[in-house]
Amino acid sequence: MIKKINDLLAGLPATIISGVFLLLDLVPHLIEEFTGKPVDISFLPFDPAWVTVVISGIPMLYLAVWRVIHNPGIRKISSALLITIAMFAAIAIGDLFAAGEVAWIMAIGAILEDMTTERAKKGLKKLISLAPTQGRRVTNGTEEMIPAESIRAGDILRVLPGETIPVDGVIVSGETSVDQSIMTGESLPVDKTVGDEVFCGTINRFGAMDLRATKVGKDSSLQKLIRMVQDAEDKKAPMARIADVAASWLVPVAFLIAIAAGLITKDIVRAVTVLVVFCPCALVLATPTAIMAAIGQATKHGVIIKSGEALEKMGKVSTIAFDKTGTLTHGSLEVSDILSFDPDIEESALLTLVASAEARSEHPLGKAIVACASERQLVLADAADFKMTAGKGIFATINGKKLLCGSESFLVENGVALNDTISAALETLRAQGKASVLAAADGRCIGILAMSDVLRPEAHGMVERLHKMGTDIVLLTGDHQKTADYFAKQVGIRQVRAQLLPEEKVRSITELQEAGREICMIGDGVNDAPALKTASVGVAMGGLGSDIAVEAADIVLMRDDLSKLPYLKRLSNATVRTIKFSITLSMCINFLAVTLSVLGVLNPTTGALVHNAGSCFVVLIAALLYDRKFEEKHPQK
């Protein structure tokens, strides 16, 4: 009950009401200070500042007492304790405005800080929702649907096309293609046959298969992925409040100076004034106001920053790790090469033949070929005798031609010989990270169509600018080594780690952190979520990226514009500098105000006004961040 009342009083609506009543009390004080004539407010039933003291003071008192009871050691002494003591001292001498002012300023600081550090946890719920709830167990030839938690290691499970694989396992019969982008981020389904391993949460795209369960329940790959995100979330400490860190020496110093001033001058008002002006309100406001201004600045540029901690750490980042698919690339396949080995068949004719055969295929490679033919406005022929061998290729009759389209092994199995020229072309395409579909007609190979992911046009220029800023770049991807090397070379990345599962990406980041580096991870998929959480700063591609990756990240690029990364570093550096300057300024103002308080120049009311002016300066300095220009220094390539 007490906590509910406290939370209500500490909320934004109550704090606004508190500020209105403080303003009502301020006006008579200002008139009296400037004219020297007291203002009669006896017509009011009570002093308006009492409302501010009650609304903003009770949460401060609650926080101070809670920390004294629950915090260990020196952490019992907090900024809330100093402000509470100053508030009661001001009340004791009848200066309600000073009491209300310090409480209200701290309430505003707490609200601003909460707004910049609160994070939603929807991403973890979405990740958990991907876990399969049931599986089809086969016992003595009989199928039965059972809950996923009832599956045991060694059970034989049947997975039909379009179904999610319920556990980790090894295929014992059947051939298929599996979309395992949730685990590896690969843009293409991976062909699987007997003896190949499959992962929980991945999707069986084409053929039916039977598998033997090897890792079930909490040991499955997807459950490990969920636990890694949870563990990384738990390790993220909230941004330390500078005022509380300094409170261990602020409180004793304030007391000593106040007591000394009171004893030497024999004036209790001077002692109370010292306590009022010593309250670290400007110190508390320095960080959240600068952060809010920077977050607003970034939002104008399509960058969502979820916390001040992320901004601070981004400025310290020395190494940026990139995922490939959907991050450096668009994550969509396009036909990149059309190679004809028949002098009588031109490129467009070869594309028309293969697209006609693939028109009824559901495989992503087939869809990419058909999309390419559609873009070129080619007229496709009707396919007869269409037949698909899951994970290998298709057969169709096009205008009387018996056409085979598929992998190298598919053509060889069907008696099609491949000469040295074709083999050399295939090897070249593989070295470029491209997937190939071979076409054969009437028993001989007539051509190859190669598909490739598309590199983002700004990627090369972005990497070059980061290198010039002294930042190391690493590529961490689940793709094959040759594919990773090819794309890394295209953008100028020299450090490559390929064929990584989610836990291996996390391990790579941990190793870099143990070497003393601050790591920023850039990713877009579900499989990137643990790495995004483990890194010092996680940046997600928000346009087409996975919702789970977006929730796991600290920063989101809403327009998937990688050129914003150098901008982010400059913005974070400027924010940290602004915070340091504001803290220095607030400490100088406090020192001057304490001196004037001891000399009797300031009383609690005027001290509160000076104290308020320092807070306003800090807010104004932070506001300058919002409109500052952070233009790119190098042209985009």
Side-chain angles (χ1 to χ4, degrees), residues 8 14 34 67 137 149 201 300 304 382 484 503 506 532 602 622:
L8 178 65
F34 285 107
R67 287 177 176 173
R137 184 166 61 188
E149 58 268 21
K300 291 192 297 182
I304 306 300
D382 292 331
E503 60 265 28
V506 170
L532 290 169
L602 298 177

Side-chain angles (χ1 to χ4, degrees), residues 30-42:
L30 288 177
I31 294 174
E32 183 176 349
E33 287 295 329
F34 285 107
T35 65
K37 297 178 180 179
V39 178
D40 183 15
I41 57 172
S42 59

Side-chain angles (χ1 to χ4, degrees), residues 181-434:
S181 58
I182 186 177
M183 298 302 299
T184 66
E186 291 171 283
S187 53
L188 289 172
V190 178
D191 295 335
K192 300 284 187 178
T193 187
V194 174
D196 287 340
E197 185 178 12
V198 290
F199 303 110
C200 175
T202 58
I203 300 171
N204 182 27
R205 284 300 185 194
F206 303 110
M209 64 171 172
D210 290 352
L211 62 91
R212 181 187 300 105
T214 56
K215 295 177 182 177
V216 301
K218 65 180 182 180
D219 295 325
S220 71
S221 300
L222 184 59
Q223 291 299 328
K224 286 181 180 178
L225 188 67
I226 292 169
R227 283 202 304 278
M228 281 189 289
V229 174
Q230 288 174 321
D231 292 344
E233 177 71 33
D234 292 340
K235 290 176 185 175
K236 288 282 189 180
M239 184 173 59
R241 294 183 63 170
I242 296 173
D244 282 340
V245 173
S248 58
W249 58 267
L250 268 178
V251 174
V253 169
F255 268 119
L256 286 174
I257 295 176
I259 292 170
L263 291 175
I264 294 171
T265 64
K266 304 217 176 359
D267 186 353
I268 188 64
V269 173
R270 296 192 189 191
V272 173
T273 305
V274 169
L275 290 175
V276 169
V277 299
F278 222 115
C279 289
C281 295
L283 193 63
V284 169
L285 288 173
T287 298
T289 51
I291 287 167
M292 287 197 72
I295 288 174
Q297 151 86 241
T299 302
K300 291 192 297 182
H301 290 79
V303 180
I304 306 300
I305 302 172
K306 297 184 182 180
S307 74
E309 184 184 18
L311 261 180
E312 183 182 0
K313 288 187 175 180
M314 190 69 196
K316 300 175 183 177
V317 162
S318 58
T319 301
I320 296 182
F322 284 90
D323 173 50
K324 181 189 79 67
T325 306
T327 303
L328 289 176
T329 68
H330 285 289
S332 57
L333 291 173
E334 290 185 4
V335 175
S336 58
D337 302 85
I338 302 175
L339 307 177
S340 176
F341 301 120
D342 188 326
D344 297 326
I345 301 177
E346 297 180 348
E347 284 188 5
S348 59
L350 177 61
L351 177 59
T352 302
L353 270 175
V354 178
S356 298
E358 295 279 6
R360 291 167 60 185
S361 171
E362 292 297 318
H363 199 284
L365 294 181
K367 288 184 176 181
I369 292 169
V370 174
C372 180
S374 177
E375 288 175 5
R376 299 190 185 191
Q377 298 182 333
L378 301 178
V379 179
L380 304 186
D382 292 331
D385 305 324
F386 178 85
K387 185 173 68 174
M388 182 178 74
T389 302
K392 291 189 175 182
I394 64 166
F395 169 84
T397 301
I398 308 295
N399 296 330
K401 284 182 179 290
K402 295 185 183 299
L403 204 66
L404 288 169
C405 299
S407 64
E408 181 181 359
S409 60
F410 181 62
L411 266 62
V412 172
E413 286 176 10
N414 285 275
V416 178
L418 304 179
N419 59 36
D420 292 343
T421 302
I422 296 170
S423 298
L426 280 172
E427 189 58 34
T428 299
L429 293 170
R430 287 194 195 100
Q432 295 174 351
K434 297 175 181 177

Side-chain angles (χ1 to χ4, degrees), residues 399-636:
N399 296 330
K401 284 182 179 290
K402 295 185 183 299
L403 204 66
L404 288 169
C405 299
S407 64
E408 181 181 359
S409 60
F410 181 62
L411 266 62
V412 172
E413 286 176 10
N414 285 275
V416 178
L418 304 179
N419 59 36
D420 292 343
T421 302
I422 296 170
S423 298
L426 280 172
E427 189 58 34
T428 299
L429 293 170
R430 287 194 195 100
Q432 295 174 351
K434 297 175 181 177
S436 300
V437 172
L438 289 78
D442 301 324
R444 62 189 181 86
C445 182
I446 59 173
I448 300 175
L449 273 68
M451 268 68 62
S452 175
D453 201 349
V454 182
L455 192 68
R456 294 184 186 274
E458 72 273 17
H460 184 275
M462 175 272 302
V463 169
E464 184 179 21
R465 288 194 294 279
L466 288 173
H467 277 147
K468 288 181 178 179
M469 294 172 72
T471 307
D472 291 333
I473 309 293
V474 181
L475 181 62
L476 304 179
T477 178
D479 272 348
H480 292 290
Q481 189 69 50
K482 286 186 177 180
T483 304
D485 288 339
Y486 173 75
F487 279 100
K489 185 177 180 181
Q490 292 294 102
V491 298
I493 297 177
R494 293 181 287 274
Q495 300 180 60
V496 180
R497 300 187 185 190
Q499 296 174 257
L500 302 178
L501 290 172
E503 60 265 28
E504 292 170 326
K505 285 187 180 181
V506 170
R507 194 178 305 126
S508 293
I509 289 174
T510 303
E511 289 172 0
L512 292 169
Q513 289 173 327
E514 289 173 351
R517 302 189 194 184
E518 288 282 350
I519 308 297
C520 171
M521 174 70 193
I522 321 289
D524 78 307
V526 173
N527 64 298
D528 296 321
L532 290 169
K533 280 292 185 186
T534 302
S536 303
V537 182
V539 179
M541 309 295 282
L544 295 174
S546 157
D547 287 345
I548 292 166
V550 169
E551 294 293 347
D554 304 297
I555 300 171
V556 182
L557 305 180
M558 293 308 296
R559 292 193 287 269
D560 287 355
D561 186 358
L562 290 175
S563 67
K564 296 300 180 185
L565 289 174
Y567 157 82
L568 258 178
K569 280 201 53 84
R570 286 192 290 274
L571 174 64
S572 59
N573 287 339
T575 303
V576 171
R577 286 196 299 270
T578 298
I579 291 171
K580 289 180 178 178
F581 176 74
S582 295
I583 289 172
T584 303
L585 177 64
S586 68
M587 295 302 288
C588 290
I589 291 174
N590 268 20
F591 177 78
L592 177 62
V594 168
T595 303
L596 294 175
S597 300
V598 171
L599 296 174
V601 177
L602 298 177
N603 58 41
T605 298
T606 54
L609 293 174
V610 171
H611 177 261
N612 213 339
S615 299
C616 290
F617 277 131
V618 166
V619 172
L620 288 173
I621 292 167
L624 296 176
L625 269 177
Y626 185 76
D627 291 317
R628 192 180 302 179
K629 302 297 181 184
F630 294 93
E631 299 294 340
E632 297 290 346
K633 297 181 179 180
H634 303 281
Q636 183 173 307

